[in-house]
Amino acid sequence: MVKMLVNKLNHIINGPIKRYSSLPPLPKSNFTPDKYLGPSIEELLKVRQTRLNPVLTTYYGTPLAFNQGYKQWLFDLQGKRYLDMFGGICTVSVGHSHPKVSEALVQQIKKLGHVSNVYFHPKIHEYAERLTNKFPGGLKVVYFVNSGSEANDLAVLMARAYTRNTAILTLKNSYHGMTYQTMGLTSNAAYKHAVPQAPDIHNVMNPDVYKGPWGGAHCRDSPVQTTRSCSCSSSDCQAKAKYIDQLKDIFKYSVKPGNLAAFFAESIQGMGGVVQFPKGYIKEAYKIVKENGGVFVSDEVQTGFGRTGEHFWGFEMHNIQPDIVTVAKGIGNGFPLAAVVTRSEIAQALTNSMHFNTFGGNPLACAVGIAVLDVIQEEQLQENSLEIGTYLLQQLEKLKSKYSIIGDVRGKGLMIGLELIKNDEFASPVENEKYFQVWEACRDLGLIIGRGGIHGNVVRIKPPMCITKEDAKFTIEVLDRVFEKIK
């Protein structure tokens, strides 16, 4: 079965873009990986086929297996080096196996690996204070968990317990996790199993200024804009008002006024393809949520910890202060760590019954979390995200003017998306086969990129925040060569 899949995909990718007369040189690195001495790729494939979760997603026609990583670099089993511009799905924030983070983990496991939270241990208290100091206002109480799905699941419980209401709103095209309940929050059929969905969760129109019915060249808070024309001005976004009307309609047709528990929103949609909302939409949505008795939950799983550049948290770009914030991924640089941060009075709502998480806030996770915060500050990675991310966006916009396959460039900081389209009047999503060609050609040239969007046609660029301008230039050069071959 594995061989059949590999052969099927190989006929797609072995096209005219497979070979190049010359290769762009990778930026220099002084790191030498250890020699790999483990199982062969054939042995790994056999285990994958027979012993692992059968729906695990595997990128590329022939699987890419990594042995080691360092900062922005990944090394495969043969020692070939790749520039990682995807960061383990926006998870590796400060760099693969960052020495300071690794050392913090080593030192902590020598002292204490795990006790239960029914005991005191210093790290959870130190980290709780360090982390919540990064939040504004009354967002000072933290619940530690292990993943973004867990965090959003807990946020649902917290919102319903606090408001004593039940209805939850999320945006279409959103992704909030894959537990049974968060699968209901997620509004993308590809992530929904054919089972009854969690009750009283409602999806509202996504305010997408590129693909939605309204919006265009003046609507996004980004260094680059869609070329779609619109009647908005730089100070007055009419598209925002139209999408807000759609949000208000939910209270006419689906949700009883006074029964709203929460509205969930990513500051920039991640899995949905780096979709940005019209300026002012989130701030206006926040007001509507409060007027209807709900709490506003900001999903910062991908946008937090300085990735968007101008701010440490994505919600700050929308000029709001959420009631509940969920964080994961970059919080632990790949270590299983996540959190829910809220105000004291909301946190108190869960004291009416027991709430317990065996591994949430364990000493190892907290030691890693503290080290990540230190590295972001010491290496000025938020500032680097702004500088390098803005440069990348501007250079990608130049590529867009050269190649009709690029329909839209969007993002902030080092959270970037390129929507690939057919050259037709509808800007239809590019065919899967052509996207696979882009993917594979980038891999051949030593560049790792991601994939997202409802149609799987968005190149996702979300690298470790330690990348350099040389890395950005290499990324642009590779994409330029690839698009030149398949335009």
Side-chain angles (χ1 to χ4, degrees):
M1 181 178 178
V2 172
K3 288 184 178 179
M4 288 177 61
L5 176 62
V6 169
N7 290 336
K8 181 179 178 181
L9 287 173
N10 274 340
H11 91 274
I12 294 174
I13 63 175
N14 288 324
I17 64 171
K18 188 68 177 176
R19 296 289 178 260
Y20 296 84
S21 57
S22 62
L23 301 180
L26 277 165
K28 292 181 180 179
S29 170
N30 58 6
F31 181 81
T32 302
D34 298 332
K35 185 177 181 180
Y36 178 69
L37 301 174
S40 67
I41 187 66
E42 291 76 19
E43 292 171 304
L44 297 178
L45 279 168
K46 183 177 180 180
V47 173
R48 187 84 162 197
Q49 181 183 7
T50 61
R51 303 299 178 94
L52 282 173
N53 171 4
V55 296
L56 282 176
T57 300
T58 302
Y59 280 4
Y60 303 110
T62 54
L64 184 53
F66 293 119
N67 172 45
Q68 199 164 355
Y70 181 75
K71 296 292 188 72
Q72 63 268 52
W73 305 110
L74 287 169
F75 301 86
D76 68 15
L77 304 191
Q78 289 73 44
K80 180 179 177 179
R81 181 163 58 101
Y82 298 83
L83 176 61
D84 181 13
M85 292 297 285
F86 195 31
I89 313 184
C90 204
T91 299
V92 179
S93 51
V94 302
H96 293 281
S97 301
H98 190 287
K100 182 160 186 169
V101 178
S102 298
E103 182 62 19
L105 182 60
V106 169
Q107 292 305 317
Q108 183 57 48
I109 203 168
K110 287 180 179 178
K111 293 180 180 178
L112 182 67
H114 177 75
V115 291
S116 170
N117 287 325
V118 299
Y119 310 108
F120 276 32
H121 66 82
K123 285 298 178 185
I124 192 172
H125 300 84
E126 179 185 353
Y127 185 43
E129 190 168 40
R130 287 283 305 276
L131 180 61
T132 56
N133 281 345
K134 303 295 290 185
F135 285 87
L139 292 166
K140 299 302 179 191
V141 181
V142 59
Y143 287 69
F144 289 117
V145 292
N146 308 288
S147 71
S149 293
E150 271 188 76
N152 283 323
D153 198 286
L154 177 58
V156 172
L157 173 62
M158 191 179 287
R160 284 173 168 165
Y162 174 69
T163 63
R164 299 185 181 276
N165 299 330
T166 59
I168 304 287
L169 302 183
T170 69
L171 295 170
K172 292 180 179 180
N173 198 54
S174 64
Y175 180 87
H176 297 287
M178 278 297 292
T179 63
Y180 175 69
Q181 187 160 248
T182 59
M183 181 171 63
L185 298 179
T186 294
S187 183
N188 181 329
Y191 297 100
K192 290 180 179 288
H193 287 272
V195 298
Q197 299 295 292
D200 216 0
I201 297 175
H202 309 268
N203 308 128
V204 301
M205 179 181 282
N206 191 39
D208 182 350
V209 302
Y210 175 63
K211 281 294 191 180
W214 307 292
H218 300 290
C219 296
R220 290 197 297 232
D221 176 18
S222 172
V224 296
Q225 298 287 339
T226 176
T227 53
R228 242 177 112 182
S229 63
C230 71
S231 56
C232 305
S233 69
S234 58
S235 59
D236 179 31
C237 184
Q238 297 177 34
K240 173 204 72 176
K242 294 181 183 296
Y243 287 115
I244 285 295
D245 286 342
Q246 294 296 310
L247 173 58
K248 290 178 178 177
D249 274 358
I250 202 79
F251 298 101
K252 297 178 184 176
Y253 302 111
S254 300
V255 175
K256 183 178 179 181
N259 190 40
L260 179 64
F263 179 94
F264 277 72
E266 302 160 86
S267 294
I268 298 174
Q269 289 183 333
M271 295 288 284
V274 196
V275 173
Q276 292 178 276
F277 314 129
K279 287 177 284 189
Y281 174 85
I282 289 294
K283 188 172 185 178
E284 190 67 26
Y286 176 88
K287 293 178 183 177
I288 293 169
V289 169
K290 306 305 286 184
E291 289 167 359
N292 284 275
V295 297
F296 191 99
V297 182
S298 183
D299 182 330
E300 296 287 330
V301 170
Q302 295 196 31
T303 51
F305 296 90
R307 178 163 290 279
T308 59
E310 288 183 353
H311 304 97
F312 200 81
W313 306 113
F315 63 77
E316 294 175 294
M317 77 177 82
H318 299 297
N319 296 309
I320 65 165
Q321 189 173 126
D323 303 289
I324 301 172
V325 182
T326 59
V327 293
K329 289 188 181 290
I331 187 176
N333 198 47
F335 195 89
L337 173 62
V340 180
V341 180
T342 189
R343 300 194 306 272
S344 176
E345 66 270 24
I346 298 176
Q348 286 294 319
L350 292 189
T351 63
N352 294 325
S353 185
M354 283 292 296
H355 178 268
F356 190 76
N357 189 303
T358 299
F359 297 108
N362 76 81
L364 301 179
C366 291
V368 166
I370 292 168
V372 168
L373 290 179
D374 286 341
V375 173
I376 292 173
Q377 180 177 344
E378 292 166 3
E379 299 186 6
Q380 298 182 307
L381 296 186
Q382 179 182 334
E383 294 81 357
N384 194 60
S385 290
L386 177 60
E387 178 185 351
I388 305 302
T390 300
Y391 172 80
L392 264 171
L393 283 163
Q394 292 168 344
Q395 296 303 309
L396 289 167
E397 189 174 35
K398 292 178 182 178
L399 286 188
K400 178 178 176 293
S401 67
K402 289 178 65 176
Y403 303 115
S404 60
I405 192 174
I406 305 176
D408 194 34
V409 177
R410 51 186 179 253
K412 285 196 78 173
L414 289 174
M415 188 161 182
I416 297 172
L418 285 75
E419 183 144 350
L420 305 187
I421 60 170
K422 296 179 183 177
N423 189 16
D424 62 25
E425 61 179 308
F426 306 108
S428 306
V430 74
E431 304 92 335
N432 283 337
E433 290 81 0
K434 188 162 284 189
Y435 193 96
F436 290 150
Q437 287 185 334
V438 172
W439 227 3
E440 296 282 351
C442 287
R443 166 190 167 161
D444 288 347
L445 297 177
L447 180 68
I448 302 298
I449 55 174
R451 186 185 186 204
I454 193 75
H455 302 290
N457 66 315
V458 178
V459 174
R460 294 168 68 196
I461 296 177
K462 303 172 182 183
M465 296 188 295
C466 59
I467 65 164
T468 66
K469 194 168 186 179
E470 288 69 31
D471 299 329
K473 289 178 178 178
F474 173 78
T475 299
I476 296 299
E477 185 175 0
V478 168
L479 290 171
D480 194 3
R481 292 201 185 194
V482 170
F483 290 134
E484 185 179 23
K485 293 283 186 179
I486 66 167
K487 59 184 177 181

